[in-house]
Amino acid sequence: MRLTGDFLVGTATVLLALTLAADACPPSDRAALLDFKAALNEPYLGIFNTWSGTDCCTNWYGVSCDPETKRVADIVLRGESEDPIFEKAGRSGYMTGSISPSICKLDSLTTLVVADWKDISGEIPACITSLPNLRILDLIGNKFSGQIPADIGKLGRLTVLNLADNQFSGALPSSIVNLNSLMHLELSNNKLSGEIPSDIGKLSMMSRALLSRNQLTGPIPSSLASIYRLADLDLSMNQITGSIPDQFGSMPVLSTLNLDSNQLSGEIPTSLLANSGLNILNLSRNALEGNLPDVFGPKTYFTTIDLSYNNLRGSIPKSLSSAKYVGHLDLSHNHLCGPIPDGSPFDHLEASSFADNDCLCGMPLRTC
């Protein structure tokens, strides 16, 4: 049988079309993305203008696919970016609308970042917890509201949960402690209330927990101290009560502890100020009392110690002069008394660091 040139060309065209179709994302993923796009309005940059054509794996802004399966794996849309599209427009991103539940049809999704668009609102679709491969959920810097999905703990592979700078309310769901892979928990600047789950220490992989500027109440769970990797803990600007757990002083990796602007009482654990790994400690604006522990030494290295606006009494420990380094020290607005020690770090501090105490004296205040 003799094959004509037209037949061969036609066959090649069909094969090429089949190959291109095989390399494209599935129509169901494309449809889900178009539903996602339809629920959002981005008026200035035109990033969604690239979401056209049949292949959502190629040149769709912020979308990437698994190279083998061609399923949509990542959606990364950041309103604060150094991408040329932002530099050309000379502005940061702005977007309104909400997240369509169709996002849940992308069941190979590992990353969902819709961050810093300022005005996206509505709730997180409840079905988001059905995405079995989701590792990063980052919605920072919008106006999302409602509660964090009650069964968020089903996302067993999640490593980053960043919902900061939104308007989420309600309590932290108890299932959050089941996020076995979670490393970064960022919920700051919302309207979250209620107590921190007492068994939050089950989050054994967590290195950062930022929950400041909410309306959280109740005590600081002592189980936090059992998280070996926890380096950065910020519970500031809440309504947390009770004392600082003694166990915080023996946390081996903790370098930043911000507990300021709460209703904490009791004494500062001696072991906390003796923890040589701690670099930043802010306990200001609480109701802490007792004396300052005299536990500083050559291994003490603090970038910041802020103990202002408490009810601390007694004298300033002389051992602070033996510290390797203390950058910023604020002991103002307490009930301290006696001479301010000589030498570093006191010789580079302003009078405001010691203001409004009962009877402190010596440089940089009046002489004793």
Side-chain angles (χ1 to χ4, degrees):
M1 185 175 86
R2 210 159 103 206
L3 300 176
T4 65
D6 287 346
F7 178 82
L8 291 172
V9 170
T11 302
T13 302
V14 170
L15 288 172
L16 178 60
L18 289 172
T19 302
L20 289 173
D23 285 341
C25 68
S28 58
D29 279 13
R30 179 178 177 275
L33 285 174
L34 291 177
D35 285 348
F36 174 79
K37 169 186 172 181
L40 294 167
N41 177 38
E42 190 283 294
Y44 300 115
L45 302 173
I47 61 171
F48 287 132
N49 294 343
T50 64
W51 287 30
S52 62
T54 57
D55 183 12
C56 59
C57 294
T58 305
N59 296 325
W60 283 39
Y61 185 90
V63 177
S64 57
C65 298
D66 184 294
E68 294 180 1
T69 65
K70 304 303 175 186
R71 298 294 309 279
V72 172
D74 306 302
I75 300 174
V76 179
L77 300 173
R78 295 190 183 278
E80 305 285 346
S81 172
E82 296 179 1
D83 189 281
I85 197 170
F86 290 84
E87 294 184 3
K88 184 179 178 182
R91 61 171 298 135
S92 60
Y94 176 80
M95 207 184 291
T96 59
S98 60
I99 292 187
S100 167
S102 293
I103 197 77
C104 305
K105 297 175 183 176
L106 300 171
D107 54 16
S108 292
L109 200 65
T110 62
T111 302
L112 179 59
V113 177
V114 184
D116 295 314
W117 292 99
K118 303 176 184 64
D119 217 9
I120 302 175
S121 57
E123 300 189 8
I124 299 176
C127 59
I128 205 96
T129 61
S130 67
L131 293 173
N133 301 303
L134 197 63
R135 289 177 170 81
I136 296 174
L137 179 58
D138 184 349
L139 305 178
I140 187 175
N142 289 289
K143 288 185 180 174
F144 290 111
S145 59
Q147 298 193 4
I148 299 172
D151 56 350
I152 191 83
K154 287 169 59 178
L155 295 172
R157 296 187 178 184
L158 201 68
T159 60
V160 174
L161 178 60
N162 188 353
L163 306 179
D165 301 334
N166 280 286
Q167 297 175 9
F168 290 107
S169 59
L172 293 177
S174 58
S175 75
I176 204 167
V177 304
N178 298 325
L179 295 173
N180 299 325
S181 303
L182 195 69
M183 297 179 184
H184 291 175
L185 176 64
E186 303 192 19
L187 304 176
S188 296
N189 195 23
N190 281 286
K191 299 175 181 178
L192 299 170
S193 58
E195 298 190 6
I196 301 170
S198 60
D199 53 349
I200 196 170
K202 290 170 65 176
L203 298 175
S204 60
M205 300 295 289
M206 191 161 60
S207 63
R208 173 182 290 178
L210 309 180
L211 287 81
S212 67
R213 290 173 290 163
N214 281 289
Q215 298 160 21
L216 299 172
T217 56
I220 300 172
S222 58
S223 68
L224 279 165
S226 66
I227 305 176
Y228 180 87
R229 294 174 171 82
L230 191 59
D232 188 352
L233 177 61
D234 189 348
L235 304 179
S236 62
M237 300 187 198
N238 281 286
Q239 298 162 26
I240 295 171
T241 54
S243 59
I244 300 171
D246 289 338
Q247 300 94 317
F248 277 13
S250 56
M251 294 176 71
V253 185
L254 189 66
S255 62
T256 300
L257 180 61
N258 290 315
L259 302 177
D260 52 291
S261 302
N262 279 290
Q263 299 167 22
L264 296 171
S265 56
E267 299 189 1
I268 299 173
T270 300
S271 59
L272 191 63
L273 292 174
N275 187 336
S276 59
L278 202 56
N279 292 144
I280 296 173
L281 177 64
N282 191 343
L283 306 179
S284 65
R285 299 179 186 275
N286 280 289
L288 298 170
E289 53 195 21
N291 292 356
L292 272 176
D294 195 2
V295 291
F296 303 95
K299 291 184 178 181
T300 302
Y301 191 103
F302 279 103
T303 309
T304 297
I305 306 178
D306 191 345
L307 306 178
S308 61
Y309 291 93
N310 279 290
N311 297 317
L312 300 173
R313 299 184 179 277
S315 59
I316 298 175
K318 291 182 179 179
S319 63
L320 255 173
S321 297
S322 64
K324 184 177 182 180
Y325 177 78
V326 176
H328 173 74
L329 173 68
D330 193 344
L331 302 175
S332 65
H333 302 276
N334 279 287
H335 299 289
L336 300 172
C337 203
I340 297 171
D342 296 326
S344 178
F346 304 101
D347 52 10
H348 70 255
L349 295 172
E350 303 284 335
S352 58
S353 294
F354 307 99
D356 286 309
N357 276 283
D358 286 2
C359 48
L360 283 178
C361 61
M363 292 297 292
L365 301 179
R366 59 179 176 79
T367 55
C368 294

